[in-house]
Amino acid sequence: MRIYDIILKKRNGGTLTKDEIAAFIDGYVDGTIPDYQASALCMAIFFRGMTDEETAALTDCMARSGDMIDLSRFGDLTVDKHSTGGVGDKTTLIVAPIVASLGGKVAKMSGRGLGHTGGTVDKLASIPGMRVTMAREAFLRQVEEIGVAVIGQSGNLTPADKKLYALRDVTATVDSIPLITSSVMSKKIAAGSKSIVLDVKAGSGAFMKTADDARILARNMVAIGKACGRKMSALITDMNRPLGTAVGNTLEVIEAVKVLRGASKGDLYDVCVALATEMTMLFADLPHEKAEARVVSAIESGDAFRKMQAWVTAQGGDAAWLETAKYGDGAALAVPVVSPADGYITCMDTEEIGTAAVILGAGRSKKEDEIDDSAGILVCKKTGDAVKKGEILATLYTNDAAAVAPAEKRYLDALTVGSAAPEATDLIFDIIR
Ligand code: URA
């Protein structure tokens, strides 16, 4: 079977067989198919799409491309959560300790930043001392003892996704429903949790720009998960503005701590409570109201934050730093972006805001780029807020003076300021169970 013929077939709108998909994944993982042919096939899939059967076959081949983790020792208590990626999305840092404090077992493998979106592993790695790699047995022991361990996709778990994810990131082939479905669900299935909650983002900062596309993606992923014997639920949440106020690694950890300590309420708190509630409903088999009450009480009692401290300590991180770190630490420059006019913010191009953060150093433009943990943006005004000319809209943090002007321009260009307040919109568009 020649990879050239497989690319040509998909480019011309054909339907790939299971064997053709397996030949692509096997050849790409063992290195006989080079990046340029894999990226050509991804681009063909981007434009031509895939049938449900092709997507299921791709997911299965990717999940089996490496090890499959066996979490059966934890019975039905294992629960995972995955976001399709957004700007300011630090929900894992918040929901993982909440759910672990309620008895769930969170054995989680997370990704690095992709495109304009940040990655949980990069955020965790910004905590001084925090290890994001761990041997399999140590990882499972930590889940047993503390209830939560989060590391990067490690060892030989879904090597196909590891390679494809990095390739798609730099070839403009991220925002494709079959490629996202297979990427997310192959990792989730190989990672072994019985229950899986998906946070499918929709809007200008998400890979899915509309709630309708996000719904299709969510339904695809829920169906594939159920077919593999998992308990599934998916929330479709708004990404037409950054989630919370912090964008960038250290900044986001600090904001996550504020939410866990009950010191910050708002959109981020609401999405985290909704996600942790779904996770608790699944792993503890509870109705919505009871699960939500437990989640809220885990935050208010301090149990969830204590769990975060125990988790960070177990992975070598400095738990005391969580309480002392301040916005702007480590960044030589803190530059306010001010409003050019009086009015209301009527719209935020959230992808552009994510890109402004990448320019400041918070993400990677190329696979091998280094991240500046302290770089990012603290957003002060969001869609719907009234602003006065000269008022601070956001603060940019960086150690790269040359990045300030382009990031500031990008940020301002991402905002629309109008004379009337826009209509309020939902934060959670839908739940698919
Ligand atoms: N998150 C993933 O894990 N994969 C994608 O393709 C997009 C978001």
Side-chain angles (χ1 to χ4, degrees), residues 82-85 114 161 165 168 174 179-180 183-184 187 207:
H82 191 93
S83 160
T84 54
L114 187 61
D161 181 59
Y165 196 97
R168 287 166 55 219
V174 172
L179 293 179
I180 297 180
S183 164
V184 171
K187 286 190 287 255
F207 296 123

Short mmCIF file of all heavy atoms in Angstrom, two decimals, residues 82-85 114 161 165 168 174 179-180 183-184 187 207, ligand 1:
data_model
loop_
_atom_site.label_atom_id
_atom_site.label_comp_id
_atom_site.label_asym_id
_atom_site.label_seq_id
_atom_site.Cartn_x
_atom_site.Cartn_y
_atom_site.Cartn_z
N HIS A 82 -11.29 16.42 29.49
CA HIS A 82 -10.46 16.94 28.40
C HIS A 82 -11.11 18.16 27.78
O HIS A 82 -12.31 18.16 27.51
CB HIS A 82 -10.27 15.88 27.32
CG HIS A 82 -9.23 16.26 26.31
ND1 HIS A 82 -7.91 15.88 26.43
CD2 HIS A 82 -9.32 17.02 25.20
CE1 HIS A 82 -7.23 16.38 25.42
NE2 HIS A 82 -8.06 17.08 24.65
N SER A 83 -10.31 19.18 27.58
CA SER A 83 -10.81 20.37 26.89
C SER A 83 -10.27 20.36 25.47
O SER A 83 -9.13 19.95 25.24
CB SER A 83 -10.31 21.61 27.63
OG SER A 83 -10.38 22.72 26.78
N THR A 84 -11.09 20.82 24.53
CA THR A 84 -10.59 20.87 23.16
C THR A 84 -9.68 22.08 22.95
O THR A 84 -9.16 22.28 21.87
CB THR A 84 -11.76 20.93 22.15
OG1 THR A 84 -12.62 22.02 22.51
CG2 THR A 84 -12.53 19.64 22.16
N GLY A 85 -9.48 22.88 23.98
CA GLY A 85 -8.48 23.93 23.91
C GLY A 85 -9.09 25.30 23.74
O GLY A 85 -9.96 25.52 22.90
N LEU A 114 -1.12 24.27 22.04
CA LEU A 114 -1.34 23.96 20.62
C LEU A 114 -1.87 25.23 19.96
O LEU A 114 -2.87 25.77 20.39
CB LEU A 114 -2.36 22.82 20.52
CG LEU A 114 -2.64 22.19 19.16
CD1 LEU A 114 -1.38 21.55 18.60
CD2 LEU A 114 -3.73 21.12 19.28
N ASP A 161 -0.56 10.15 18.14
CA ASP A 161 -1.09 11.49 18.40
C ASP A 161 0.03 12.45 18.73
O ASP A 161 -0.01 13.62 18.33
CB ASP A 161 -2.12 11.47 19.53
CG ASP A 161 -2.67 12.87 19.76
OD1 ASP A 161 -3.24 13.42 18.81
OD2 ASP A 161 -2.49 13.42 20.86
N TYR A 165 -0.05 15.58 16.54
CA TYR A 165 -0.44 16.80 17.24
C TYR A 165 0.59 17.90 16.97
O TYR A 165 0.25 19.03 16.61
CB TYR A 165 -0.48 16.43 18.73
CG TYR A 165 -1.18 17.33 19.71
CD1 TYR A 165 -2.49 17.06 20.10
CD2 TYR A 165 -0.52 18.39 20.32
CE1 TYR A 165 -3.13 17.84 21.06
CE2 TYR A 165 -1.15 19.17 21.28
CZ TYR A 165 -2.45 18.89 21.65
OH TYR A 165 -3.08 19.65 22.60
N ARG A 168 0.35 18.91 13.22
CA ARG A 168 -0.85 19.71 12.90
C ARG A 168 -0.70 21.13 13.41
O ARG A 168 -1.17 22.09 12.79
CB ARG A 168 -2.09 19.05 13.50
CG ARG A 168 -2.51 17.78 12.76
CD ARG A 168 -3.51 16.98 13.58
NE ARG A 168 -4.65 17.78 13.94
CZ ARG A 168 -5.27 17.71 15.14
NH1 ARG A 168 -4.86 16.86 16.06
NH2 ARG A 168 -6.29 18.48 15.40
N VAL A 174 -5.18 21.97 12.57
CA VAL A 174 -5.73 21.62 13.88
C VAL A 174 -7.26 21.54 13.84
O VAL A 174 -7.85 20.57 14.30
CB VAL A 174 -5.27 22.65 14.95
CG1 VAL A 174 -6.00 22.41 16.26
CG2 VAL A 174 -3.77 22.55 15.16
N LEU A 179 -9.97 15.09 12.86
CA LEU A 179 -8.62 15.07 13.44
C LEU A 179 -8.66 15.40 14.94
O LEU A 179 -7.93 14.81 15.73
CB LEU A 179 -7.67 16.03 12.69
CG LEU A 179 -7.36 15.61 11.25
CD1 LEU A 179 -6.44 16.63 10.57
CD2 LEU A 179 -6.71 14.22 11.19
N ILE A 180 -9.53 16.31 15.33
CA ILE A 180 -9.64 16.60 16.78
C ILE A 180 -10.28 15.40 17.50
O ILE A 180 -9.80 14.98 18.55
CB ILE A 180 -10.46 17.89 17.05
CG1 ILE A 180 -9.76 19.11 16.44
CG2 ILE A 180 -10.62 18.10 18.56
CD1 ILE A 180 -10.49 20.43 16.65
N SER A 183 -7.75 12.66 17.83
CA SER A 183 -6.66 13.06 18.72
C SER A 183 -7.11 12.97 20.17
O SER A 183 -6.45 12.35 21.02
CB SER A 183 -6.24 14.50 18.37
OG SER A 183 -5.48 15.07 19.39
N VAL A 184 -8.26 13.58 20.47
CA VAL A 184 -8.73 13.61 21.86
C VAL A 184 -9.11 12.20 22.32
O VAL A 184 -8.65 11.73 23.36
CB VAL A 184 -9.96 14.55 21.99
CG1 VAL A 184 -10.60 14.41 23.37
CG2 VAL A 184 -9.56 16.00 21.74
N LYS A 187 -6.36 9.50 22.92
CA LYS A 187 -5.62 9.70 24.18
C LYS A 187 -6.47 9.27 25.36
O LYS A 187 -5.99 8.66 26.31
CB LYS A 187 -5.26 11.19 24.35
CG LYS A 187 -4.14 11.66 23.46
CD LYS A 187 -3.68 13.05 23.85
CE LYS A 187 -4.67 14.12 23.49
NZ LYS A 187 -4.34 14.94 22.35
N PHE A 207 -11.08 26.02 18.50
CA PHE A 207 -10.88 25.43 17.18
C PHE A 207 -12.23 25.32 16.47
O PHE A 207 -12.30 25.39 15.25
CB PHE A 207 -10.18 24.08 17.30
CG PHE A 207 -8.78 24.22 17.86
CD1 PHE A 207 -8.39 23.55 19.00
CD2 PHE A 207 -7.87 25.07 17.26
CE1 PHE A 207 -7.12 23.70 19.52
CE2 PHE A 207 -6.59 25.23 17.77
CZ PHE A 207 -6.21 24.54 18.90
N1 URA B 1 -6.90 18.90 21.82
C1 URA B 1 -6.39 17.70 21.48
O1 URA B 1 -6.03 16.88 22.31
N2 URA B 1 -6.28 17.44 20.17
C2 URA B 1 -6.67 18.29 19.23
O2 URA B 1 -6.57 17.95 18.09
C3 URA B 1 -7.19 19.54 19.60
C4 URA B 1 -7.31 19.81 20.91
#
